[in-house]
Amino acid sequence: MGHFGITKTLEVLHEHFYWPNMKRDVQRMCDKCITCRQAKSRIMPDGLYTPLHVPKKPWVDISMDFILGLPRSRKGRDSIFVVVDRFSKRHISLLAIKQIMQ
């Protein structure tokens, strides 16, 4: 579970509580918050997304993804491998088997 950030957390706490070094304690708590550390990027914290370049011809720039967790078919397939051409938006879908190597 997260929090509202340092400033808002301090405001809420000041309505009901006070203790010495309260601001320092809230700062430390927020700095160590696992939820915030996972959600906030340290590499590129602010700014716009970098747009992808526009492809010039088909099947040069593709995206790939798996659709997992489907019910198993009679042939044992439970996944779909999808390849999409970014230029034409055409796709190829292949039935696949999710297999975990042991």
Side-chain angles (χ1 to χ4, degrees):
M1 184 163 167
H3 51 82
F4 300 111
I6 298 166
T7 306
K8 182 71 175 174
T9 302
L10 274 171
E11 288 174 8
V12 171
L13 285 173
H14 273 298
E15 290 177 9
H16 304 285
F17 305 102
Y18 174 80
W19 64 84
N21 301 317
M22 187 164 136
K23 185 174 182 177
R24 184 198 68 196
D25 292 344
V26 170
Q27 173 76 43
R28 285 181 181 171
M29 187 272 307
C30 291
D31 288 342
K32 293 179 182 180
C33 176
I34 293 171
T35 304
C36 289
R37 295 180 89 186
Q38 290 173 343
K40 295 178 183 171
S41 170
R42 300 253 186 243
I43 298 167
M44 240 173 114
D46 296 319
L48 301 173
Y49 289 112
T50 306
L52 298 171
H53 69 279
V54 178
K56 303 265 188 257
K57 55 186 178 177
W59 298 105
V60 173
D61 193 356
I62 61 172
S63 64
M64 298 177 279
D65 202 359
F66 283 95
I67 302 172
L68 304 173
L70 300 173
R72 192 172 300 275
S73 71
R74 287 184 214 134
K75 293 186 178 182
R77 296 185 174 116
D78 59 356
S79 306
I80 299 174
F81 177 57
V82 181
V83 181
V84 179
D85 171 36
R86 287 191 53 239
F87 179 80
S88 66
K89 307 296 188 239
R90 298 190 87 178
H91 73 280
I92 298 173
S93 300
L94 305 168
L95 295 175
I97 299 171
K98 179 182 170 189
Q99 184 176 5
I100 299 172
M101 302 300 286
Q102 293 181 357

